[in-house]
Amino acid sequence: MQKSWRHRFHLPAVIGTIPMILVALGVFVIGIGFSVLWSFTSSKLFPTYDFVGLAQYRRLWADNRWLVSVNNIWFFGLMSITCNMVFGYLLAVFMDQRIRQEDLFRSIFLYPFAMSLIVTGLVWQWALDPNLGLQEALRNWGWSSFSFAPLVSAETALYALVVAGIWQGSGVTMAILLAGLRGIDEDIWKAARVDGIPTWRTHVSIVAPMMKGAFATAFVLQCVGVVRVYDLVIAMTGGGPGIATSMPAVYVIQLITVRQNVGQGMAGATMMLLPVLIVLAFSGILLWRRNRLREAGA
Amino acid sequence: MAQNGTSVSIQDLSLSFGVVTVLETLNLDVAEGEFIVLLGPSGCGKSTLLNCIAGLLDVSEGSIFIKGKNVTWEEPKDRGIGMVFQSYALYPQMTVEKNLSFGLRVAGTPKDEIAKRIARAAEILQIEPLLQRKPAALSGGQRQRVAIGRALVRDVDVFLFDEPLSNLDAKLRAELRVEIKLLHRKLQNTMIYVTHDQIEAMTLADRIAVMKGGVIQQLDAPQTIYNRPVNRFVAGFLGSPAMNFIDGQAETGATAAFKTGNVSIPLARYAFDAAGNSSGPCVFGIRPEHVALGEAANAMPFAIDAAVEIVEPMGSDTLVWTKLGGQNFSFRVEAEKTLRNGEPIRIGFDPARASLFDSQSGNRM
């Protein structure tokens, strides 16, 4: 027993990973634990341990603002992830045509990702601001009837967020998918051409399925970005106009810092964690099953 | 099928990428039902030529005819060809059956016709038990069989093989080599086969095209190429262990002879090429298996005393290294023969079986 323990945990490795272990335990496990715990209490400005059961969750799901936030994140998530994947793949295919200046294009496409979302949000906000950006510029150039101010209207503000999200995220998706595309044996393309399979069909039926791993990586990265989307919203719209672009993360932070309602904020945070846990459990089960199948097959 | 008619005809084909010329005004006629092997070292343009025939590369100049039809600018699928790749290039997410049927389904072939063709291909290649498996669950040999099957179901006139056996281990390679030969006999299709393996070329081909630098050096039956190579490159590329090359001088006239050091080899029995009976520096080549030892050597038109330097037993036979006119010289003896280093021996050969090359051009004399 002793021997196998030593065999598994080399001392230098343990020492090296202690900071990471501490961070993981301290921030994630303990932090998440307290969040969940306080979500069952009536905490207001400061955390208390006055347990009220699911009362905070009931109030949360009765709050119109939370419901709008949840709707918004579904819409934002589905739109931006889908568009990011499609654009990213198309860009990757474009880059794979052995174009000149590939490095230049790759830098241009990746550049938005290198910027903080606050900067991205601010740039887009300025560009779309009716008094500073596109609208004003075109009016000054003489097109005086031109009107384009998506951030001011409750109906269009969310679309503007989606566009900014795509602008920011499709470059990374492209980089990941391009790596996947480059990993495909050239003979596969040749074989498909000899078989008379149209190029789009080769992409859909042969190449894309071969890039499952790259797609999964890009998808997970996008999902993480969507669940925690906060800074982009704050910088671009601040959740407005009204509550039109509120998102769960924005809602939770506002409850804790502005509305001094820690209990309900924690309930919101816990609700944000739930889908992540479900996805993790699901993929864990899939992985476990595949491993078992492989062992059985081998 | 009788060997009449031309199946594939390549006329004045050139291909260059920018300033680099890969193929240069190349001509090749392949008869119907013929098995042609394109043989050469890597970078000689043999795979490029095959890709041009398949339509996977656009040619710079010249034209390609398949079955009398000019297909130079046709899409690969319209050329009546099937192709087998070195890396198999199977579609990994599809079962073997889907791999075989996918092209046909996309082309809109009727279902019963697809089933019929798959059944036939599976039977010929004996892959019936594998039809529902995915490529990852197959061995290398099985994968290559499936890849051949994918070419087979296309029901084409010409098969193109791009180093199909290079990814397999030696034993499997030998097995599949025989299978491809049997397949050719059964189907009687035209086959064009690219390889850098001379054994594959010798065993499979009706004719071999030895290539170097984008140019076909010699196109002939395997035995002719082996016994009468047109230049020094071809002579050195084919044959393992390689042919002996001895530098020296050719002397012509009434008593033609090859001289190197104090050795003089009579060339009276050597059949000079029409062009090349001239004096001057040249290279004398003789294959190790054409050299006799001991009593047998004395019976040969040329015999000389030598001493054993190194003995390389190879199992089936033994390669012995010695010196001739001060230059390295190897010959083959039966494995049973035991020779010790330094042992004096007598070796001999018939100059009629030798090859003489011009030192400058490397061409056969």
Side-chain angles (χ1 to χ4, degrees):
Chain A
M1 231 24 216
Q2 182 82 23
K3 202 172 177 186
S4 81
W5 189 90
R6 246 194 227 162
H7 187 76
R8 255 192 232 169
F9 300 98
H10 293 286
L11 194 62
V14 172
I15 294 173
T17 47
I18 273 178
M20 193 57 218
I21 291 170
L22 287 181
V23 168
L25 280 180
V27 176
F28 296 121
V29 178
I30 298 178
I32 288 170
F34 272 105
S35 294
V36 176
L37 189 71
W38 285 329
S39 73
F40 295 110
T41 68
S42 64
S43 307
K44 283 295 177 190
L45 176 55
F46 295 108
T48 62
Y49 292 92
D50 168 28
F51 288 96
V52 292
L54 291 173
Q56 298 285 20
Y57 289 91
R58 257 178 249 124
R59 279 171 58 196
L60 179 74
W61 283 102
D63 187 350
N64 188 43
R65 200 186 172 109
W66 170 256
L67 294 177
V68 169
S69 302
V70 170
N71 271 342
N72 280 349
I73 199 152
W74 276 111
F75 181 81
F76 176 79
L78 285 177
M79 289 292 285
S80 69
I81 292 177
T82 312
C83 294
N84 264 334
M85 287 302 210
V86 173
F87 276 136
Y89 191 72
L90 291 179
L91 280 178
V93 171
F94 163 70
M95 296 280 287
D96 201 32
Q97 309 300 312
R98 300 180 187 285
I99 52 168
R100 278 165 203 220
Q101 299 291 339
E102 187 190 312
D103 290 341
L104 176 75
F105 277 109
R106 192 169 24 212
S107 305
I108 292 175
F109 293 144
L110 266 177
Y111 210 79
F113 187 69
M115 275 195 274
S116 150
L117 274 168
I118 289 285
V119 179
T120 304
L122 215 55
V123 168
W124 278 91
Q125 199 222 318
W126 285 344
L128 300 177
D129 189 305
N131 300 318
L132 293 171
L134 203 60
Q135 180 178 314
E136 184 65 11
L138 279 172
R139 281 186 183 179
N140 286 344
W141 289 339
W143 188 357
S144 55
S145 63
F146 182 77
S147 149
F148 183 69
L151 289 182
V152 188
S153 153
E155 274 110 56
T156 52
L158 198 55
Y159 291 95
L161 274 183
V162 169
V163 169
I166 295 166
W167 182 77
Q168 213 254 352
S170 48
V172 202
T173 312
M174 175 219 67
I176 295 169
L177 295 182
L178 181 60
L181 265 183
R182 290 275 155 86
I184 301 234
D185 183 2
E186 217 171 307
D187 282 355
I188 291 272
W189 291 103
K190 290 184 181 176
R193 273 188 73 191
V194 171
D195 261 353
I197 298 162
T199 311
W200 69 268
R201 191 75 198 266
T202 311
H203 273 287
V204 172
S205 303
I206 299 166
V207 172
M210 285 176 81
M211 289 167 55
K212 256 195 264 171
F215 274 114
T217 310
F219 181 72
V220 168
L221 275 182
Q222 297 291 339
C223 285
V224 169
V226 166
V227 171
R228 58 160 201 212
V229 64
Y230 173 74
D231 27 15
L232 184 69
V233 181
I234 292 297
M236 262 180 90
T237 65
I243 54 168
T245 56
S246 180
M247 298 275 176
V250 179
Y251 176 89
V252 167
I253 299 286
Q254 273 188 350
L255 271 179
I256 295 171
T257 58
V258 182
R259 289 161 66 185
Q260 300 173 353
N261 193 341
V262 169
Q264 201 179 326
M266 290 307 170
T270 309
M271 290 315 297
M272 285 171 68
L273 181 67
L274 204 63
V276 177
L277 284 182
I278 289 171
V279 169
L280 277 182
F282 190 66
S283 69
I285 289 168
L286 274 187
L287 203 71
W288 174 77
R289 239 192 54 163
R290 192 184 307 163
N291 281 345
R292 265 192 42 153
L293 280 180
R294 190 174 297 161
E295 270 163 33
Chain B
M1 215 180 286
Q3 301 231 338
N4 52 12
T6 312
S7 177
V8 178
S9 174
I10 294 156
Q11 293 171 8
D12 297 326
L13 186 79
S14 291
L15 177 72
S16 35
F17 299 112
V19 290
V20 185
T21 305
V22 186
L23 299 172
E24 241 186 300
T25 46
L26 193 141
N27 286 285
L28 177 66
D29 282 323
V30 183
E32 213 156 286
E34 196 178 22
F35 199 123
I36 285 268
V37 171
L38 306 177
L39 177 71
S42 56
C44 71
K46 55 191 193 301
S47 281
T48 312
L49 175 57
L50 198 73
N51 280 319
C52 287
I53 299 173
L56 295 168
L57 280 174
D58 287 341
V59 305
S60 307
E61 265 170 74
S63 40
I64 300 167
F65 293 85
I66 295 179
K67 283 242 161 185
K69 193 174 114 195
N70 188 340
V71 296
T72 315
W73 301 106
E74 296 272 358
E75 275 295 302
K77 68 176 161 76
D78 301 324
R79 295 187 174 207
I81 50 131
M83 192 160 177
V84 179
F85 299 89
Q86 177 179 356
S87 62
Y88 322 127
L90 298 177
Y91 313 135
Q93 312 298 332
M94 302 183 190
T95 61
V96 168
E97 189 178 5
K98 278 221 167 143
N99 261 287
L100 298 183
S101 65
F102 191 56
L104 298 176
R105 276 190 294 138
V106 169
T109 315
K111 273 205 172 122
D112 50 340
E113 173 70 16
I114 296 179
K116 222 165 66 193
R117 289 200 201 170
I118 290 183
R120 173 170 167 267
E123 198 222 311
I124 291 175
L125 297 162
Q126 298 171 348
I127 51 173
E128 286 126 325
L130 312 177
L131 283 178
Q132 296 313 320
R133 288 213 217 153
K134 290 216 174 144
L138 303 178
S139 70
Q142 290 169 331
R143 281 181 211 182
Q144 201 48 286
R145 228 169 266 160
V146 175
I148 295 173
R150 194 170 54 183
L152 211 59
V153 292
R154 287 177 50 73
D155 216 5
V156 291
D157 308 313
V158 181
F159 279 85
L160 307 176
F161 294 90
D162 193 358
E163 308 215 14
L165 306 183
S166 298
N167 278 10
L168 303 173
D169 63 57
K171 185 165 169 280
L172 219 50
R173 209 179 302 164
E175 277 174 34
L176 251 89
R177 203 169 65 212
V178 176
E179 275 183 40
I180 289 178
K181 193 159 189 168
L182 286 172
L183 187 73
H184 179 240
R185 187 180 297 166
K186 208 183 293 179
L187 299 176
Q188 296 287 313
N189 282 47
T190 309
M191 294 190 178
I192 304 179
Y193 187 109
V194 163
T195 183
H196 60 259
D197 184 317
Q198 45 162 315
I199 312 262
E200 275 171 34
M202 293 294 292
T203 52
L204 288 171
D206 291 327
R207 283 192 300 165
I208 298 176
V210 184
M211 291 183 67
K212 182 195 172 196
V215 177
I216 294 180
Q217 307 285 316
Q218 187 170 12
L219 172 65
D220 228 320
Q223 279 312 315
T224 314
I225 288 194
Y226 192 76
N227 291 322
R228 290 187 64 84
V230 292
N231 58 32
R232 201 184 148 165
F233 169 77
V234 176
F237 193 76
L238 270 109
S240 171
M243 182 185 267
N244 292 298
F245 291 113
I246 301 160
D247 293 316
Q249 297 280 331
E251 278 178 17
T252 50
T255 54
F258 172 82
K259 290 201 166 140
T260 177
N262 49 11
V263 181
S264 176
I265 302 170
L267 292 178
R269 289 175 53 82
Y270 180 75
F272 279 98
D273 252 23
N277 188 354
S278 62
S279 308
C282 70
V283 179
F284 182 89
I286 181 118
R287 296 205 179 272
E289 61 269 32
H290 293 155
V291 178
L293 176 74
E295 281 305 304
N298 281 328
M300 289 288 181
F302 172 79
I304 192 169
D305 289 315
V308 177
E309 291 209 329
I310 289 176
V311 180
E312 288 185 303
M314 301 207 269
S316 57
D317 47 27
T318 299
L319 192 67
V320 183
W321 288 89
T322 175
K323 283 259 181 349
L324 185 79
Q327 298 174 50
N328 286 332
F329 188 84
S330 68
F331 63 96
R332 255 168 148 165
V333 296
E334 313 88 81
E336 290 74 35
K337 207 110 190 163
T338 46
L339 290 169
R340 272 169 291 106
N341 291 349
E343 188 175 327
I345 46 170
R346 191 157 176 81
I347 52 174
F349 48 82
D350 182 356
R353 308 190 81 164
S355 298
L356 212 57
F357 304 106
D358 186 85
S359 284
Q360 288 272 296
S361 63
N363 288 335
R364 186 182 187 86
M365 294 168 64

